[in-house]
Amino acid sequence: MPGRTLPGRARLAAASLAACFLVAATAPAAAADSRATATPTATPTATPTATATPTPTPTPTPTPTPTATATPTPTPTATATPTATPTPTATPPAIWTPTLTPGDPAPHEPTPFRPPPRALPPVSPSPSLAPVLESPERPEAVTPPQRPAVVIRTIIGLALLVALAYAAAHPAVVRWERRIRVSQLVAAGLPFIALGMIARAPPFGVLSDDVLAQLAPVLRLGLGWIGFIVGFRLDARELSGTDERAVASAALLSSLPFAAVVAGAAAVLLPAGPLAERLRDPVFLRDALVLGTAASMTAATVPHLLPARTPPAAVAVLGRIVRLEEIAGILGLALVAAYFRPQGDAVTWRLPGTAWLMLTAGAGTLLGLVVLVLLRRARSGPEFSVLTLGSVAFSSGLAGYLHLSSVVVCFVAGVILANFPGAHQARFRAVLDLLERPVYLVLLVILGALWPTGSVTGWLLIPVFVGARVLGRWAGVRMATRLGVLDLDAGARRVVTVAPVGSLAIAIVVNAQLLYPGGSIADAVVAVVGGALATEALVHAVRRGRRAPAPEPRSEPTP
């Protein structure tokens, strides 16, 4: 519009648009010039063929005439090239095409191939190894007359399993478990693992591949529940009195078993090939780190397994050591999940490992704050219970959808809830204690159904896991005693040496199987679950000679 000046940004946009139109308009001309400059270089070589082709034209008159007419066509261009002298001057600005001699290398010669860095194999869930991740491609053939019986059998079987899990959490069962002084993995966990195996067997078929695929949210709910329980136990006010002796004892009792189990697993899990290549194999490193992290865990019931004559101060110190070991286990799982990301089409985001670690911590913090706001607004008891169950399910499901560790995300959210004061803490702890055992036992049923009984490597890893862990804990207890950072008598030291692994160790390997379905991670699950059962039997054998009743604990934690 005349009489008005455009602002600076508008003038800049108009100039840019004009430049784009100018480039678009000159692009065809430049392309034509490049084609015109390319044709003279080919015409001198074609002219001798044109002089040779007219000689056979008298004999095959029909066929060579097209070639003769086709070959003289470039001659006008060849004759026109001397007159069109400006074309050579316009050639250099358009494009430079180097003339090649027979000895020169081709310009499109490929660059030397550099192998990419070794990464984890792509995600490819196999129903035989991890059927809980997705439904099998070929579902089981069930005829229409059999469908009502299959549905009724599945519903009744699942209802019975849930009822048994709820009955195992009865106070009478808990009192009987304390009387015989064994942890819940032997008192109730081992039967439920066996029930899962039986329910998966073909004669029953209650937990088939299709049913297990639909129960995947329940498995993640159990992992998230364990993460919330472990995180809610981490109260900063209770850990504020932790001295350097407890920190040094926790470092020794967690690092030495970790190193021993990793070294022992290397003898079984290392692939074939040169040693340097085998040690850099990401699959081996991932599995060894998962096994070592699970081996560094200790059951929360260990302070209550000490002899009755143990001083209360020593029991309290050992409880703080167990909390510090749980923090180390959560940190190890977070590092493995962040820096050993699976590859393939199933993973959409491509971020560095540190970014995944920050995303995991941020997601747990955000979910913890959201759950805190919801729980503070809840009034009645049933409403609070429903909100608690829904919060755990939502947090674990969101972590699974983002391919993050459900245990780590829910642990961070539990820490947020434990360290923000309010009336919600007592009610939240009551709901966690009420549903802790049923959820955990249902998790063990699914784990028993997923147990790969044909894994030879997993069965070989069980004695390696147990022996290396006990050896590492023996070295840690001995070194801590010599340094004066662990003050326990001989009986208490034996209990700490053969201390069982808890539910957090099982949750770590199960969460790793969900993050890396298929492959050798199932062997780690067999080793840790079988090692948990073996260590429970071992600690029970060590304590069999002492008949003095243990003091009644204030609350029964998850092992």
Side-chain angles (χ1 to χ4, degrees), residues 7 77 81 88 90 122 153 174 203 252 269 292 334-335 376 381 394 454 509 530 533 554:
T77 60
T81 48
R153 182 179 59 192
V174 177
L252 291 174
L269 297 178
L335 292 175
R376 283 186 172 181
F394 176 73
V509 292
L533 297 175
R554 290 174 295 178

Side-chain angles (χ1 to χ4, degrees), residues 93-113:
I95 185 172
W96 179 72
T97 55
T99 58
L100 301 177
T101 60
D104 294 335
H108 57 275
E109 186 176 293
T111 57
F113 176 73

Side-chain angles (χ1 to χ4, degrees), residues 49-139:
T49 58
T51 55
T53 49
T55 54
T57 49
T59 52
T61 53
T63 52
T65 48
T67 60
T69 55
T71 50
T73 49
T75 54
T77 60
T79 55
T81 48
T83 58
T85 53
T87 53
T89 59
T91 304
I95 185 172
W96 179 72
T97 55
T99 58
L100 301 177
T101 60
D104 294 335
H108 57 275
E109 186 176 293
T111 57
F113 176 73
R114 293 181 179 179
R118 303 185 65 178
L120 292 175
V123 175
S124 56
S126 174
S128 61
L129 294 175
V132 75
L133 296 177
E134 65 178 18
S135 299
E137 297 179 358
R138 296 180 180 179

Side-chain angles (χ1 to χ4, degrees), residues 177-212:
E177 177 186 331
R178 293 174 182 172
R179 188 178 302 114
I180 64 175
R181 308 182 78 175
V182 293
S183 182
Q184 68 180 19
L185 192 59
V186 170
L190 181 59
F192 276 83
I193 291 178
L195 282 177
M197 293 181 179
I198 295 173
R200 179 71 183 278
F204 301 95
V206 175
L207 296 179
S208 60
D209 289 348
D210 292 331
V211 175
L212 287 174

Side-chain angles (χ1 to χ4, degrees), residues 224-504:
W225 202 275
I226 294 175
F228 262 102
I229 290 174
V230 176
F232 196 76
R233 287 202 300 253
L234 188 63
D235 194 348
R237 292 168 294 183
E238 296 181 0
L239 293 178
S240 59
T242 304
D243 55 356
E244 297 179 356
R245 299 173 58 189
V247 175
S249 300
L252 291 174
L253 292 177
S254 58
S255 61
L256 293 182
F258 175 87
V261 170
V262 169
V268 181
L269 297 178
L270 275 179
L275 182 60
E277 292 291 334
R278 291 184 292 173
L279 292 178
R280 288 197 299 265
D281 184 37
V283 177
F284 160 72
L285 293 176
R286 179 200 67 191
D287 297 346
L289 291 177
V290 169
L291 281 173
T293 304
S296 61
M297 297 295 97
T298 306
T301 55
V302 170
H304 306 291
L305 299 176
L306 296 176
R309 61 180 180 271
T310 305
V315 176
V317 170
L318 190 57
R320 294 192 183 97
I321 292 175
V322 172
R323 297 293 177 268
L324 294 176
E325 289 178 352
E326 290 174 347
I327 296 175
I330 293 294
L331 182 60
L333 178 60
L335 292 175
V336 171
Y339 289 96
F340 289 86
R341 298 293 299 178
Q343 309 294 327
D345 298 333
V347 182
T348 55
W349 293 359
R350 309 292 181 183
L351 298 176
T354 307
W356 283 113
L357 193 62
M358 297 176 63
L359 180 62
T360 303
T365 304
L366 180 61
L367 289 172
L369 295 176
V370 171
V371 173
L372 177 64
V373 173
L374 292 176
L375 295 182
R376 283 186 172 181
R377 294 177 177 270
R379 307 192 187 281
S380 62
E383 180 185 359
F384 193 90
S385 301
V386 171
L387 281 177
T388 301
L389 188 61
S391 300
V392 177
F394 176 73
S395 302
S396 58
L398 180 62
Y401 177 77
L402 296 177
H403 221 75
L404 302 175
S405 173
S406 302
V407 178
V408 178
V409 171
C410 293
F411 169 82
V412 176
V415 171
I416 296 296
L417 293 176
N419 292 276
F420 274 83
H424 68 281
Q425 290 187 348
R427 294 191 292 175
F428 189 74
R429 183 180 289 107
V431 175
L432 289 180
D433 294 340
L434 178 64
L435 299 177
E436 171 186 352
R437 289 175 66 93
V439 172
Y440 180 68
L441 295 177
V442 171
L443 174 64
L444 290 182
V445 170
I446 300 176
L447 185 59
L450 293 174
W451 187 283
T453 55
S455 176
V456 179
T457 306
W459 290 103
L460 291 176
L461 281 174
I462 292 178
V464 174
F465 179 83
V466 175
R469 182 178 180 272
V470 172
L471 180 62
R473 292 190 68 85
W474 175 81
V477 170
R478 188 177 180 85
M479 189 176 297
T481 304
R482 286 189 174 183
L483 293 176
V485 296
L486 187 63
D487 188 11
L488 295 175
D489 58 0
R493 288 197 298 269
R494 284 195 298 268
V495 172
V496 174
T497 300
V498 297
V501 299
S503 60
L504 182 58

